[in-house]
């Protein structure tokens, strides 16, 4: 499969920054003597810490119009951003450590809040990794194991976004507008605005950021047989807002609170299935038309034989089918996200007590042409010629996180930190995908899951009433951890640091079907469960794990 991505640059930017009653010019970058980062939970000079960190400041992010994780990954060597099946199947790889199944190994954090997510139906992280971000002060990319400080998802590293907080001293107003055109009908609009400043001088400051982004898409579907399927691809429309507050009731206590909301709609990506359908190759040579591929007993294709070959592919070859549900182009994906958090820092003199409480709710939908083409699909074991594959699901996730840390302030021989964390994830995925077949050996039950010459195979026939098959997966994650860090100065120029995190995870998964999509789509029977007694539904399983992640 070839995926077409397009990077655009603005042609008519307008940027205005106002501070107080006058216009402020950007600070001269040459006057910056050091770069301050918070990679290890405290403010430090980037050149003084023994961690591989790449930091991008506010001025750079504005000039480059960077607003997504994918754009950040493209700027850092050793970091890759990969989107496989869909926007919900997203992976971040740092230093070659990738996630193919289960929890991602690279964390994405917003103001210290882990928003990485975990996909239910495919490997990799969730669509949360594609969220556009507002009013950033800094982005830090940390390479290498960071589980001790950043938690269960940061085994390979982390990408940390630091939002700009309102000032207790001055009022700031920022406006940004960017408009681009790229063909006779395509255009992109990016508008952002923010206002912040003190409400009670030296005590309370508030800030409001809003943003709107619309890109009609750089590519078009080219289905000549069904013109109604032809719409723009790689498009996006999103709106977001963030309300922030900084409160310092006393000289020793600081409270930071943020409420963020975003709503994002993305059309399907421009993708082409390489080579012709049902054309097979062996050792680089195309096999004669009508050749049936050879498979082993368990259905694995023989070594050296494959479908398609990577050659020069034109965007004109994009040929999605039309959705049989709506008789319209596939909708793509949507994401609606609400993130709220409250941070409290209490300076007790020798130590600082910190509390971080957060809540995240994400509702995502997905509808894709899973074959990326119109017409007859791939032969599998000589049966099951798929004419269409209408993938559709909806995922609702809720995260609750609470963390307490106690940190040293004035230990003359180094620093130390101890903390505890509780994390709860409740996720529900409803899969209503459908498939159609023209294999004469498949026995369809009229009226069960559709009508017409080609019956819709019940993807999950044992899970719902006739006419509305749906697969429901519920995943509940309960995670508790204890972590700590000690940095000791052996000499004035040499420090040794040890850190560790102990994690106790308990994950419970519940499903209402014993049929997976692959076995149902091939033979219309649950072949994976054809031996032994049928399973009792709903099926539930709980797994617990204990891990210790140390680093010196």
């Amino acid at each position: 499969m070839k995926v077409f991505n397009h990077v655009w640059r603005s042609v008519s930017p307008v940027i205005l920054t106002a501070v107080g009653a006058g216009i402020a010019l950007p600070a001269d970058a040459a006057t910056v003597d050091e770069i301050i980062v918070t990679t290890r939970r405290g403010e430090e000079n980037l050149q003084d810490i023994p961690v591989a960190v790449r930091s991008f400041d506010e001025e750079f992010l504005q000039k480059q119009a960077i607003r997504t994780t994918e754009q950040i990954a493209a700027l850092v060597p050793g970091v890759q951003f990969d989107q496989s099946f869909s926007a919900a199947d997203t992976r971040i790889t740092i230093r070659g450590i990738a996630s193919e199944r289960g929890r991602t190994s690279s964390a994405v954090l917003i103001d210290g809040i882990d928003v990485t997510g975990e996909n239910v139906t495919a490997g990799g992280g969730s669509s949360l990794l594609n969220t556009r971000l507002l009013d950033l002060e800094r982005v830090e990319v940390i390479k290498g194991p960071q589980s001790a400080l950043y938690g269960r998802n940061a085994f390979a590293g982390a990408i940390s976004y630091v939002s700009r907080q309102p000032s207790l001293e001055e009022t700031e107003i920022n406006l940004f507008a960017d408009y681009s055109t790229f063909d006779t009908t395509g255009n992109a609009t990016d508008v952002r605005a923010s206002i912040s400043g003190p409400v009670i001088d030296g005590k309370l400051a508030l800030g409001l950021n809003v943003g709107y982004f619309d890109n009609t898409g750089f590519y078009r579907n080219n289905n000549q047989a069904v013109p109604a399927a032809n719409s723009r691809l790689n498009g996006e429309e999103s709106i977001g807002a963030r309300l922030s507050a900084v409160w310092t009731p006393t000289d020793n206590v600081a409270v930071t609170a943020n409420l963020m909301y975003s709503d994002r709609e993305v059309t399907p990506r421009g993708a082409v299935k390489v080579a012709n359908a049902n054309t097979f190759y062996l050792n680089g040579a195309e096999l004669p038309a009508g050749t049936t591929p050879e498979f082993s007993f368990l259905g694995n294709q023989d070594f050296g034989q494959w479908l398609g070959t990577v050659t020069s592919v034109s965007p004109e070859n994009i040929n999605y089918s039309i959705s049989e549900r709506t008789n319209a182009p596939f909708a793509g994906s949507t994401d609606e996200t609400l993130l709220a958090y409250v941070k409290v820092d209490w300076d007790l003199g020798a130590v600082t007590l910190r509390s971080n409480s957060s809540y995240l709710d994400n509702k995502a939908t997905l509808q894709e042409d899973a074959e990326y083409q119109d017409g007859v699909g791939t032969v599998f074991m000589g049966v099951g010629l798929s004419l269409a594959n209408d993938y559709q699901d909806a995922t609702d996730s809720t995260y609750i996180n609470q963390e307490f840390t106690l940190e040293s302030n004035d230990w003359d021989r180094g620093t130390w930190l101890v903390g505890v964390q509780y994390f709860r994830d409740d996720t529900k995925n409803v899969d209503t995908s459908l498939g159609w077949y023209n294999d004469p050996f498949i026995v369809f039950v009229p009226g069960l899951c559709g009508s017409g010459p080609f019956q819709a195979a019940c993807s999950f026939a044992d899970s719902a009433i006739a006419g509305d098959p749906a697969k429901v997966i519920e995943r509940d994650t309960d995670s508790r951890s204890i972590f700590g860090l000690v940095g000791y100065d052996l000499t004035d120029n040499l420090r040794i640091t040890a850190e560790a995190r102990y994690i106790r995870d308990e994950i419970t998964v519940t499903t209402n079907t014993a049929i997976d999509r692959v076995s149902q789509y091939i033979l219309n029977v649950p072949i994976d469960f054809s031996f032994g007694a049928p399973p009792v539904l709903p099926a539930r399983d709980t797994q617990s794990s204990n891990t210790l992640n140390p680093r010196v």
Side-chain angles (χ1 to χ4, degrees):
M1 181 183 72
K2 169 67 175 178
V3 178
F4 296 96
N5 292 310
H6 193 98
V7 179
W8 59 277
R9 291 290 181 263
S10 59
V11 296
S12 56
V14 179
I15 303 177
L16 173 65
T17 302
V19 179
I23 301 298
L25 298 177
D28 184 0
T31 64
V32 178
D33 296 327
E34 61 182 10
I35 299 175
I36 301 299
V37 296
T38 54
T39 302
R40 300 194 300 176
R41 298 296 185 102
E43 293 187 354
E44 298 176 292
N45 186 348
L46 178 61
Q47 294 181 331
D48 294 339
I49 63 175
V51 179
V53 182
R54 182 73 182 273
S55 179
F56 302 96
D57 63 12
E58 180 182 5
E59 182 179 3
F60 178 86
L61 297 173
Q62 285 187 353
K63 287 182 177 180
Q64 298 298 321
I66 292 175
R67 288 295 179 271
T68 66
T69 304
E70 182 177 11
Q71 293 171 322
I72 289 293
L75 299 173
V76 183
V79 179
Q80 290 81 39
F81 183 95
D82 171 59
Q83 191 177 96
S84 183
F85 170 69
S86 67
D89 186 11
T90 299
R91 302 174 179 87
I92 298 175
T93 301
I94 298 179
R95 287 182 171 175
I97 301 178
S99 301
E100 293 185 358
R101 287 292 182 270
R103 186 186 314 150
T104 178
S105 58
S106 300
V108 174
L109 304 105
I110 299 178
D111 298 333
I113 310 300
D114 192 337
V115 298
T116 311
E118 183 179 345
N119 206 320
V120 175
T121 58
S126 71
S127 54
L128 281 167
L129 300 181
N130 305 301
T131 302
R132 296 181 66 84
L133 300 157
L134 288 172
D135 203 17
L136 296 175
E137 176 182 292
R138 186 174 68 255
V139 177
E140 298 174 9
V141 181
I142 309 105
K143 300 179 184 179
Q146 305 297 326
S147 297
L149 294 182
Y150 291 119
R152 60 206 294 273
N153 292 320
F155 181 78
I159 299 178
S160 177
Y161 294 98
V162 181
S163 302
R164 193 178 188 191
Q165 302 300 332
S167 172
L168 289 166
E169 300 176 353
E170 59 183 8
T171 299
E172 298 182 1
I173 300 174
N174 291 277
L175 303 174
F176 177 91
D178 188 301
Y179 179 80
S180 302
T181 59
F182 40 83
D183 60 28
T184 56
T185 59
N187 60 79
T189 303
D190 188 0
V191 179
R192 299 190 297 273
S194 67
I195 180 171
S196 65
V199 176
I200 302 176
D201 191 30
K203 293 293 184 180
L204 177 64
L206 299 178
L208 176 65
N209 301 276
V210 294
Y212 172 76
F213 179 78
D214 180 38
N215 180 1
T216 57
F218 294 94
Y219 301 104
R220 293 178 179 272
N221 192 26
N222 190 32
N223 189 327
Q224 298 183 6
V226 186
N230 296 332
S231 62
R232 284 190 172 274
L233 306 172
N234 290 59
E236 175 187 348
E237 183 177 15
S238 62
I239 185 171
R242 179 169 69 94
L243 179 64
S244 54
V246 174
W247 180 40
T248 55
T250 69
D251 293 338
N252 300 327
V253 177
V255 181
T256 304
N258 276 248
L259 179 64
M260 308 179 191
Y261 172 81
S262 66
D263 190 358
R264 184 172 183 257
E265 298 181 5
V266 180
T267 59
R269 294 177 299 159
V272 170
K273 195 169 185 178
V274 179
N276 297 322
N278 305 321
T279 300
F280 289 85
Y281 297 79
L282 180 62
N283 298 327
E286 183 177 336
L287 298 177
T291 298
T292 300
E294 297 180 3
F295 292 89
S296 67
F297 173 74
L298 295 177
N300 297 315
Q301 199 169 3
D302 285 349
F303 177 77
Q305 193 179 73
W306 70 90
L307 172 68
T309 185
V310 179
T311 59
S312 177
V313 180
S314 169
E316 296 297 322
N317 294 329
I318 299 174
N319 184 31
Y320 287 159
S321 60
I322 198 169
S323 170
E324 296 290 342
R325 299 172 183 272
T326 62
N327 201 33
F330 285 88
S333 63
T334 67
D335 269 283
E336 186 178 14
T337 305
L338 177 68
L339 171 63
Y341 70 81
V342 177
K343 296 183 178 181
V344 180
D345 294 352
W346 186 7
D347 188 345
L348 299 173
V351 297
T352 296
L353 176 64
R354 304 184 192 275
S355 170
N356 190 341
S357 309
S358 64
Y359 171 85
L360 186 148
D361 182 76
N362 175 254
K363 294 179 173 60
T365 65
L366 177 65
Q367 188 194 29
E368 296 272 357
D369 182 353
E371 289 188 339
Y372 305 102
Q373 67 179 20
D374 189 31
V376 176
T378 303
V379 178
F380 190 89
M381 297 178 68
V383 299
L385 294 174
S386 175
L387 290 177
N389 192 330
D390 195 333
Y391 184 93
Q392 178 171 288
D393 73 357
T395 304
D396 190 352
S397 300
T398 301
Y399 303 164
I400 297 175
N401 181 79
Q402 176 63 55
E403 180 181 280
F404 294 103
T405 60
L406 194 64
E407 307 174 25
S408 64
N409 286 338
D410 56 4
W411 184 30
D412 57 1
R413 295 306 303 268
T415 60
W416 58 264
L417 173 153
V418 293
V420 294
Q421 182 185 33
Y422 173 76
F423 172 81
R424 174 77 183 185
D425 168 18
D426 296 319
T427 296
K428 181 178 181 180
N429 176 267
V430 180
D431 191 334
T432 53
S433 303
L434 295 178
W436 283 258
Y437 299 83
N438 66 346
D439 191 291
F441 298 104
I442 293 181
V443 178
F444 295 105
V445 180
L448 180 61
C449 299
S451 60
F454 304 110
Q455 296 294 324
C458 286
S459 301
F460 317 106
D462 61 347
S463 67
I465 61 174
D468 187 24
K471 179 177 184 177
V472 178
I473 297 178
E474 296 183 62
R475 183 189 63 213
D476 299 329
T477 302
D478 194 88
S479 177
R480 296 172 172 85
S481 60
I482 302 173
F483 57 95
L485 176 149
V486 177
Y488 184 76
D489 295 334
L490 299 176
T491 69
D492 291 341
N493 300 318
L494 180 62
R495 168 177 291 187
I496 182 171
T497 302
E499 58 189 58
R501 177 182 290 256
Y502 170 79
I503 306 172
R504 165 73 176 181
D505 281 350
E506 184 174 283
I507 302 176
T508 300
V509 177
T510 306
T511 181
N512 65 340
T513 178
I515 303 176
D516 67 14
R517 185 179 301 107
V518 175
S519 60
Q520 186 66 39
Y521 272 21
I522 298 169
L523 297 173
N524 203 28
V525 294
I527 60 172
D528 289 344
F529 298 92
S530 58
F531 303 101
V536 178
L537 297 176
R540 174 176 295 181
D541 188 30
T542 298
Q543 296 289 329
S544 299
S545 66
N546 299 277
T547 59
L548 178 64
N549 298 315
R551 185 173 71 165
V552 177

